[in-house]
Amino acid sequence: MKKLIAVFLCLMTVFSLVACSNEEHSSEWETDPVTEASKQNEPKEEQSSSPKVYFKLELKDLGFYYEIYDKQGNVVLAKETMRPTEITMLGESIVDIEIAMGTGLAFHTYYDVEGNRFSEEYSYVVAASGNLVAYIDAPMKDPLQHRKLVVRDIFDKTVFYKSFSLDFSETIPDMPIESASFTEGEAELEVVYWSERPATTHSITIPIRRNASEGEKLSEEERAMKAYEEALNGKINLYDPVVQDYSLLKDFKTPYNQIPLCEAGSLGYAYVDLDGDMSNELVIDCGDTLILRYYEGSVCVYSFTFRSLYDLQTDGSYAWNHTGSNFEYGESQITFDGEELKTKELYRIVNDGEPNAEYYIEGKQVTEEELLEYIEAHPKTKVKFAPLEVSWLNKISRTEALQIAADYWQIEDGDVDYAAGKKNVCRITLIDTTSYHKNVYHIAHQDEIYRRNELDQYTFSSLETTSQIYVDATTGECIPYGEPDGKG
């Protein structure tokens, strides 16, 4: 009975605290649905100097219910959660949504009222300002040994991104930073953290933003991100260490089909620290895979066909397969040695499903059971690609343009027409993309002519071009060759 009374008193205390918290958050919003009906979804203007708030938080069914509002007072997000929730304003236009997950872990999501945009979700946040967020980031492999402090723009890392490696104490597994705060103008970040020298707190002031006149030097990560942005926008050439040549990204050819990237159709991209050196690489999905890496002032590019690299993981591992005398597939790891990309085989399977199947882990032959245990003990997280939108990417891919031309002529590539003593095979081919006119595909309808010999066999005789056309790479419009528009 005493235990029941104690539990009841504890619950009453929790509800009273939540009610107080809820009252505090809700006090800045309308409370009378009758008299304030015309302002139901509009943040209420406070007395004179008080700023607006753009959220409502309340207790509901033993959980928390909240709404986020845009500049006009429209609901842009409404959610209910059983997790303890706190919502605050960062300055006048940034809403900070904090969801507690237990054991000191919380997720933060930010909403920009002026820009009407949400940030990605952050964990282990140590400080936030109106523009920047500081948090602890750790890789999947040996996270305690390789934790770093990241400071970046809340909504777009290409605007600002810096990382700092501090000697965090490994005896503090959850949060090695005791406190952190930005100084005025976000010029510096003042940090108190647990260090290994020995395990005790240390204070440090980290320079974040400096006036350009003070000769600010960009960090290696900042230089890399800036270089990647310039590469995507076609402002710098990429260096291919294999052929030792330079080219713009849009002119770089896909590894398997050798199509210029601007003609490849939809592309995806992701920033990933492939080799665990605390600096991101830019990965482009074009059916095949291109890896861009900033190294000593240049952006190097590395090519993989779809068979030699797929299912790329966030730790830089990937799957591959190849055929030959034996069918093999497996998983390897990406590393770099100077400007050279190297791979390390993690495991390999030969003749899978056959009586003579073989299994290897890092080159050593093992049993199937040992390999399955290895795979289960090393879980992976697959890289997620976002759509790449750049000005130089054609809206119509090369494959689509060829089909548009075929439909225009009402024929298909490979159609065969038999005539007296000969065979004509239709070919729809790309002649030129940009020589005569910007952003068009120059496509020809050609006939491969085969003549019948005395052995009643068809042998190749000649190739004849019967018609030509332009296909606009943006609209897909068909423009007859030679029309008076500067294209013929």
Side-chain angles (χ1 to χ4, degrees):
M1 186 64 181
K2 290 181 179 181
K3 290 183 178 180
L4 290 174
I5 293 173
V7 170
F8 177 78
L9 290 175
C10 287
L11 287 173
M12 291 299 292
T13 302
V14 170
F15 287 133
S16 64
L17 289 174
V18 170
C20 290
S21 175
N22 180 54
E23 182 179 351
E24 179 182 345
H25 287 296
S26 301
S27 62
E28 298 174 350
W29 291 82
E30 67 275 11
T31 56
D32 187 344
V34 177
T35 60
E36 296 293 325
S38 63
K39 300 181 180 180
Q40 183 176 1
N41 291 329
E42 183 176 342
K44 183 178 178 181
E45 188 86 45
E46 285 296 305
Q47 303 295 331
S48 61
S49 61
S50 298
K52 290 182 180 179
V53 294
Y54 294 87
F55 66 87
K56 178 172 67 176
L57 175 65
E58 61 185 14
L59 181 67
K60 184 176 181 181
D61 297 330
L62 300 182
F64 291 87
Y65 173 79
Y66 64 91
E67 293 179 345
I68 308 299
Y69 300 83
D70 66 11
K71 197 172 183 179
Q72 289 72 41
N74 302 309
V75 177
V76 293
L77 179 66
K79 278 193 175 182
E80 186 172 355
T81 177
M82 297 297 291
R83 299 285 185 181
T85 302
E86 183 177 355
I87 305 180
T88 55
M89 295 294 300
L90 288 178
E92 297 183 355
S93 60
I94 304 296
V95 183
D96 179 2
I97 308 166
E98 179 181 357
I99 309 295
M101 306 302 292
T103 65
L105 175 63
F107 290 138
H108 288 256
T109 304
Y110 301 92
Y111 173 66
D112 176 12
V113 177
E114 293 295 333
N116 191 25
R117 54 181 177 169
F118 284 91
S119 74
E120 64 187 69
E121 193 174 66
Y122 298 98
S123 59
Y124 297 107
V125 171
V126 297
S129 65
N131 301 295
L132 304 178
V133 59
Y135 62 98
I136 298 295
D137 187 34
M140 295 289 291
K141 184 178 181 181
D142 300 325
L144 293 182
Q145 290 79 18
H146 298 114
R147 287 180 293 184
K148 61 181 179 179
L149 173 63
V150 173
V151 180
R152 56 160 287 183
D153 183 89
I154 294 175
F155 299 96
D156 186 353
K157 71 183 299 182
T158 63
V159 173
F160 187 92
Y161 185 100
K162 280 186 177 183
S163 62
F164 307 91
S165 295
L166 304 179
D167 57 332
F168 293 131
S169 172
E170 295 181 18
T171 62
I172 312 294
D174 295 325
M175 177 52 74
I177 291 181
E178 189 170 278
S179 65
S181 60
F182 289 99
T183 61
E184 185 176 354
E186 300 167 335
E188 298 171 327
L189 182 67
E190 296 178 344
V191 180
V192 178
Y193 70 100
W194 288 91
S195 169
E196 288 282 49
R197 308 189 311 266
T200 184
T201 57
H202 284 258
S203 298
I204 186 173
T205 299
I206 302 174
I208 302 298
R209 297 185 190 270
R210 289 178 178 166
N211 191 290
S213 63
E214 297 177 17
E216 177 181 9
K217 293 183 179 180
L218 297 176
S219 69
E220 192 73 6
E221 179 68 9
E222 281 185 294
R223 286 194 290 269
M225 296 303 295
K226 182 177 177 62
Y228 295 147
E229 182 179 0
E230 290 177 340
L232 289 174
N233 292 328
K235 295 181 179 180
I236 61 172
N237 284 308
L238 309 180
Y239 176 65
D240 186 340
V242 176
V243 300
Q244 298 183 349
D245 197 10
Y246 291 86
S247 67
L248 292 173
L249 181 60
K250 70 182 184 68
D251 299 324
F252 203 88
K253 293 183 178 180
T254 59
Y256 186 77
N257 290 322
Q258 291 292 294
I259 296 173
L261 217 58
C262 63
E263 304 172 25
S266 59
L267 304 176
Y269 79 103
Y271 288 104
V272 190
D273 181 7
L274 296 174
D275 58 345
D277 67 347
M278 306 300 173
S279 183
N280 283 331
E281 282 73 46
L282 171 58
V283 185
I284 295 179
D285 176 15
C286 57
D288 301 317
T289 301
L290 300 180
I291 296 175
L292 278 62
R293 175 178 179 247
Y294 181 76
Y295 178 70
E296 293 187 348
S298 298
V299 177
C300 300
V301 60
Y302 308 89
S303 306
F304 291 85
T305 65
F306 62 92
R307 289 193 183 95
S308 58
L309 188 155
Y310 58 92
D311 284 345
L312 181 63
Q313 309 296 318
T314 54
D315 66 347
S317 61
Y318 62 91
W320 54 265
N321 71 75
H322 64 77
T323 57
S325 57
N326 297 313
F327 175 70
E328 299 182 351
Y329 68 93
E331 185 176 81
S332 293
Q333 177 80 44
I334 289 174
T335 61
F336 293 97
D337 183 7
E339 68 178 27
E340 183 181 0
L341 184 149
K342 295 185 175 181
T343 61
K344 173 185 176 183
E345 183 182 293
L346 300 179
Y347 70 83
R348 173 167 52 100
I349 302 174
V350 183
N351 294 325
D352 189 28
E354 300 294 331
N356 60 339
E358 299 174 0
Y359 309 91
Y360 297 87
I361 296 177
E362 296 186 5
K364 179 182 177 181
Q365 189 165 1
V366 297
T367 65
E368 181 179 11
E369 291 74 20
E370 288 174 322
L371 178 60
L372 293 175
E373 289 176 2
Y374 171 84
I375 294 174
E376 185 177 358
H378 296 81
K380 306 287 185 175
T381 302
K382 190 174 180 178
V383 171
K384 294 182 180 180
F385 291 93
L388 178 61
E389 297 180 1
V390 285
S391 60
W392 48 261
L393 183 61
N394 293 343
K395 302 293 184 183
I396 305 298
S397 70
R398 173 185 292 204
T399 302
E400 292 169 330
L402 291 171
Q403 187 58 53
I404 288 172
D407 294 341
Y408 178 84
W409 286 313
Q410 297 184 346
I411 53 178
E412 291 294 334
D413 182 62
D415 281 354
V416 179
D417 178 29
Y418 289 94
K422 65 178 183 178
K423 176 178 72 172
N424 295 349
V425 180
C426 171
R427 295 300 179 199
I428 310 298
T429 59
L430 184 71
I431 295 180
D432 192 276
T433 56
T434 56
S435 296
Y436 296 96
H437 194 273
K438 183 180 180 182
N439 211 31
V440 297
Y441 295 98
H442 184 190
I443 299 174
H445 168 206
Q446 300 174 319
D447 282 331
E448 293 178 351
I449 300 176
Y450 297 82
R451 298 188 183 278
R452 184 183 295 163
N453 59 23
E454 62 275 7
L455 299 176
D456 203 27
Q457 299 171 333
Y458 286 103
T459 58
F460 178 77
S461 173
S462 60
L463 178 67
E464 295 183 1
T465 299
T466 62
S467 184
Q468 300 179 53
I469 198 173
Y470 291 106
V471 175
D472 191 293
T474 301
T475 65
E477 176 190 2
C478 293
I479 306 168
Y481 178 74
E483 284 202 348
D485 59 357
K487 298 185 177 69

